[in-house]
Amino acid sequence: MHKVNNNISQPDLTVNVAGIKLKNPVMTASGTFGYGEEYEPYLDLNRLGGIIVKGISMEPREGNSPPRIVETAAGMLNSIGLQNVGVEVFVDQKLPFLRKYDTAVIVNFFGDSIEEYCEVANILGAVDGIAGLEMNISCPNKQEGWLEFGTRPDLTFKVTNAVRKKTDLPLIVKLSPNVTDISTIAKAAEDGGADGLSLINTITGMAVNIENRRPMLANIIGGLSGPAIKPVALRMVWQVAGKVSLPLIGVGGIMTAEDAIEFIIAGASAIQIGTANFLDPSVSIKVLSGVEDYLIKNRVKRIDSLIGSLET
Amino acid sequence: MHKVNNNISQPDLTVNVAGIKLKNPVMTASGTFGYGEEYEPYLDLNRLGGIIVKGISMEPREGNSPPRIVETAAGMLNSIGLQNVGVEVFVDQKLPFLRKYDTAVIVNFFGDSIEEYCEVANILGAVDGIAGLEMNISCPNKQEGWLEFGTRPDLTFKVTNAVRKKTDLPLIVKLSPNVTDISTIAKAAEDGGADGLSLINTITGMAVNIENRRPMLANIIGGLSGPAIKPVALRMVWQVAGKVSLPLIGVGGIMTAEDAIEFIIAGASAIQIGTANFLDPSVSIKVLSGVEDYLIKNRVKRIDSLIGSLET
Amino acid sequence: MLVEILYNEEILLHYYKMGLLWSLPSTIEAGQFLMFRVSDGIDPFLRRPFGIYRTISIERGSKKLGGVEILYKVVGKGTGLMAGLRQGHKVDVLGPLGVGFSGFDGDGKLIMVAGGVGIVPFYLLAEGLANKDSRVQLLFGGRCKDDLPGLLDFENLGTEIKISTDNGELGVRGAVTELLKKEVSDDSTVYACGPKGMLKEVARIARERGVPCFVSLDKIMACGMGACLGCAVKVNGRKSRYTAQNLSPYKMVCKDGPVFDAEEIVWKEL
Amino acid sequence: MLVEILYNEEILLHYYKMGLLWSLPSTIEAGQFLMFRVSDGIDPFLRRPFGIYRTISIERGSKKLGGVEILYKVVGKGTGLMAGLRQGHKVDVLGPLGVGFSGFDGDGKLIMVAGGVGIVPFYLLAEGLANKDSRVQLLFGGRCKDDLPGLLDFENLGTEIKISTDNGELGVRGAVTELLKKEVSDDSTVYACGPKGMLKEVARIARERGVPCFVSLDKIMACGMGACLGCAVKVNGRKSRYTAQNLSPYKMVCKDGPVFDAEEIVWKEL
Ligand SMILES: Cc1cc2nc3c(=O)[nH]c(=O)nc-3n(C[C@H](O)[C@H](O)[C@H](O)COP(=O)(O)OP(=O)(O)OC[C@H]3O[C@@H](n4cnc5c(N)ncnc54)[C@H](O)[C@@H]3O)c2cc1C
Ligand SMILES: Cc1cc2nc3c(=O)[nH]c(=O)nc-3n(C[C@H](O)[C@H](O)[C@H](O)COP(=O)(O)OP(=O)(O)OC[C@H]3O[C@@H](n4cnc5c(N)ncnc54)[C@H](O)[C@@H]3O)c2cc1C
Ligand SMILES: Cc1cc2nc3c(=O)[nH]c(=O)nc-3n(C[C@H](O)[C@H](O)[C@H](O)COP(=O)(O)O)c2cc1C
Ligand SMILES: Cc1cc2nc3c(=O)[nH]c(=O)nc-3n(C[C@H](O)[C@H](O)[C@H](O)COP(=O)(O)O)c2cc1C
Ligand code: FES
Ligand code: FES
């Protein structure tokens, strides 16, 4: 596996996450990279470890009324409202483009009931060219008074367990950070049969327009992303790494290779780049080569040995 | 009450928070303004609506091992570990300085058991020159496996209720943002007898030194503050404003008058400036005059009428 | 893409022109824009969108190089920082992005309605039509005479211009939409760019007169390439149930626009 | 406090001197510092501490104005931005802060041990003692000859200087602490500023020789005025129970320091 070129040994960047073999740990995060095609002019998608597509539901979704985004200090709030083309259009029109690349395609999906989650997972399980599923549980549950699945261990367990039975694809559960105790939720997902965990989704936040005294977002509340939330994401990865034995995927505020390495050291087997794509569409490739440089400089032969190497 | 000078009417900035009458809604946050004296060379303390002193416990506390702080994107992490001089030294050596000013002195305090909270509150209640107490419940509870009081409604209720019985001073409970459902905690504090709520304390976060693969903070985890957390603080103020009838004090990432006004519109009766003091020791005075300018420009005669005026 | 700043000059109070050493394809459409990273760091955080005002060419040594000029107004933190950038500095830009103006087929009269910095998309257009025998008219409104950036450029092109200012300093006193009411005829095509209120009124007038109208919209953007779904604008005639053609009630200003057929926009929700 | 930049020049690779139009009290102590706001915005977020290298005076028209010079090394984002600041620009500084060097009473020999940019606190000191008849010696260590910023200034003062470089390019090859071992005598007082490893070794040598030693410490700071308790350093001889004298096992580098008696520091926890 280790290629040796003239004394300089290229580090081995491959990681195995939730049964998905990635050629490197750098992926793009759901909702920030469209269906891949939008970014195709800006980078070689083949170089990415994986692409996680915009969250897909059974039926197409309109999303929220605009305004949907607002800038904040070192970040942004979004209330896109999970607008998406629906699973049918995704499979017919979006997936064929992605299949052309030798990059793991992970499909982020959600529903507003356990049944919908199961249905989507079931459909996607029968389709070619999907390496794995990422289940977004930061989604209101219509059967439980629109409480988010991911804010309660019991609901997290239930939805994970139900979906687990519907698909053989690797199942990654994406956790919500808006909780008191992330480890308990992580444990519930593990018990429910998840193969891996992504953390974190956006942190709920708000902004006010002081000129008209109205919320900046039509939806009032939105999700905070970007460097602002990196310390929180990192803390959650580290907390969960100590409590579950599943592979973790770190996401939240990663802008540079240094950020990515922090997550890996804290316990992430792979990372996702979200909001940073908006600032620099080819940032993921830069992060990847920065990680490679770090490994070379520090004589780390296999990135595996960096994962969770934090000395406390 | 309304002074009128040559047609231009000065807006009325006074607010009544938790039974404490403040001459204006701008205060300085606990732990970021020392005991007032440190900032005395940089601003006229008399102009502040209130000063909230560094958290005080029964016994003096050493605090955590250094390093205790690290810079993050639009913020910082701290793990001071509640170092303080203890209630006795505070009353003897720190309070006399503050008594000289015509500014409400609010004493932030904590304990690691309900008994300690009660003891401190009891002592402070008998002392002159204290306008109110701010109870920090983001503190581990030794009787409950070091779980933070403020992360559980039952513990929040218990400690508030117990302290309530020990003091006649206005009692403000300062909430932890590291919870799934801030409203439930707020309600518990209200039911326990709080006169007002401050929100938010820092959000738990972490940073890693990738050179030595160790945490940046000796304590591993610290509290995130600064503009990075403003959207979260604002969201929590708004959520709680809809659920309790107590006056709220907004804190988290306020750097400018505009930030302060966002909090007031979202439902805060007063605000606190924390980390921003480190960037500019006289920022609180600038925020105050900016708020005043806004009121004049928008012909708001009394700041009261701005509180919670968000149109949704 | 890192490009060099050739110049960055205040042309009127608060208005600047910046030249960038950046060769764009000649197929660029009037109304397309670029995303400008105003800071090397993260404050302010997002890129800022700016229309492409015109292309320029410069000589460096014996080489002829292509460039782009933007025209911007300082309104906040990002544009404030831009105003301080100096010649020789490299800035990070993405583009050209979006879909520009294209509804006018040369028949009849093209009326370009611009409010303040809304002038930007019209220079390329006026330039392209300057030597054709199309009838082109610019209606240019501002608060005062210093609120009409680039006016001279259009005069140099020989564009027919009618001006309005709120204070009557130059042209007629009042809103530019009043000019439109007078100038619009049955064979007109209306293009507009400017504040939301102006666009609404332009669209109303065009609808009333039954003439085609295209508007360039301004929405806060994050990605600029249709990926984040942040810059959504509600459009008419689309079912809330998507079809296999992937129709949605929302279009993205950055990718489907910024120029839209005025008829398509749900104006009351803009 | 907003002050004007008088000059900002690279004096050696990565080393800069910046002059600020800022009159400080003449009571300023060598080792005191200022907190510099490197950006008008929030990136980077915290102020950065820099020692005061010397005071300067400039003439503007007929007026004589006071100024301050800092000497800094570009090591990261903040100092990188500082290097780009130009003359005339206004920057926000706080100070003078902290407690400087004061343990030397004029008797015996003062040995100043500086590593690289650790030279900063010593200029004011050397200047103040230059025309007295105290025995003063500077031991100055760097990685190479370009790692000895300000060397010429001390030569101009006539300070007695001994140099060491890691690569032997200038002075003796090796660590500056090796010089100290040779130069220290029973009547010495040692002042030191430089990397942590160097300070530890200096303190060890001084303790071994039984001579007074004072060190200037570097800790990440937020407030710079003793309010945040962020820059704590563990000190000896203090009980973990505070007394009425308000003793704590920690002192604050910004307020109680940055200069400390070496005996006071718990070196193994630094
Ligand atoms: C397609 C398009 C083309 C544009 N072309 C021009 C042009 O040619 N010349 C010109 O002067 N202006 C143009 N604008 C407007 C310009 O983008 C804003 O004025 C600029 O982003 C303001 O940035 P700021 O930081 O100075 O202001 P801020 O203080 O951040 O905000 C001021 C206003 O600018 C708007 N704004 C802020 N950030 C963004 C963003 N990321 N995307 C969109 N709007 C934002 C907000 O609505 C806000 O009310 C265009 C906008 C769009 C959408
Ligand atoms: C009392 C004191 C006096 C100093 N005097 C000088 C001087 O005269 N000349 C000089 O070149 N340097 C001096 N320093 C060091 C200088 O403050 C740092 O080099 C500078 O803050 C680095 O900022 P940066 O953004 O370039 O680096 P970063 O990339 O942010 O960090 C590089 C290193 O600088 C340190 N650092 C970062 N932020 C701070 C902060 N807020 N406070 C303290 N350290 C920080 C960190 O330890 C980090 O390892 C002094 C430090 C102290 C504490
Ligand atoms: C505009 C936008 C849309 C997003 N859409 C989704 C989504 O559909 N599903 C999901 O699981 N996460 C979604 N996210 C969350 C991101 O995938 C990521 O978890 C979060 O933004 C934190 O990472 P970042 O700070 O790198 O952006 C979205 C984020 C943004 C900014
Ligand atoms: C260095 C530091 C020390 C703090 N100490 C305390 C404390 O003792 N008690 C407390 O209730 N909050 C403490 N806080 C939290 C602040 O009072 C405030 O709630 C938080 O920092 C968010 O506000 P900001 O973003 O404006 O700083 C501290 C914050 C900082 C940065
Ligand atoms: S700005 Fe991202 S879709 Fe338009
Ligand atoms: S930096 Fe705040 S106490 Fe020293």
Side-chain angles (χ1 to χ4, degrees), chain A residues 110-126:
Chain A
F110 66 95
D112 54 24
S113 63
I114 291 182
E115 294 69 42
E116 189 179 350
Y117 273 102
C118 289
E119 260 185 296
V120 185
N122 192 37
I123 292 175
L124 292 170

Side-chain angles (χ1 to χ4, degrees), chain A residues 31-34 37-39 42 54 59-76 80 83-86 88-89 93-94 225-227 255 275-281 286, chain C residues 35 37 41-48 92 94-97 219-234 238-252 255 269:
Chain A
T32 66
F33 206 69
E37 55 196 26
E38 294 84 350
Y39 282 87
Y42 297 96
K54 174 70 188 165
E59 298 294 318
R61 297 257 191 144
E62 287 190 16
N64 289 329
S65 296
R68 291 179 173 186
I69 53 177
V70 57
E71 186 178 63
T72 67
M76 61 180 278
I80 307 303
Q83 173 176 346
N84 79 93
V85 297
E88 191 185 315
V89 176
Q93 293 178 29
K94 302 294 178 183
S225 64
M255 299 277 288
T275 306
N277 292 306
F278 306 155
L279 275 69
D280 178 359
K286 291 173 192 161
Chain C
M35 290 291 276
R37 191 147 175 199
I42 52 168
D43 177 28
F45 188 64
L46 296 174
R47 282 176 184 264
R48 301 290 193 251
D92 182 355
L94 290 177
L97 299 167
K219 279 272 171 189
I220 295 197
M221 293 181 178
C223 72
M225 48 191 70
C228 75
L229 309 181
C231 61
V233 57
K234 187 88 162 243
R238 291 169 174 265
K239 312 225 168 51
S240 68
R241 169 73 172 84
Y242 288 51
T243 70
Q245 286 75 49
N246 185 20
L247 295 181
S248 142
Y250 290 110
K251 282 194 167 183
M252 296 303 138
K255 180 137 193 185
E269 293 194 26

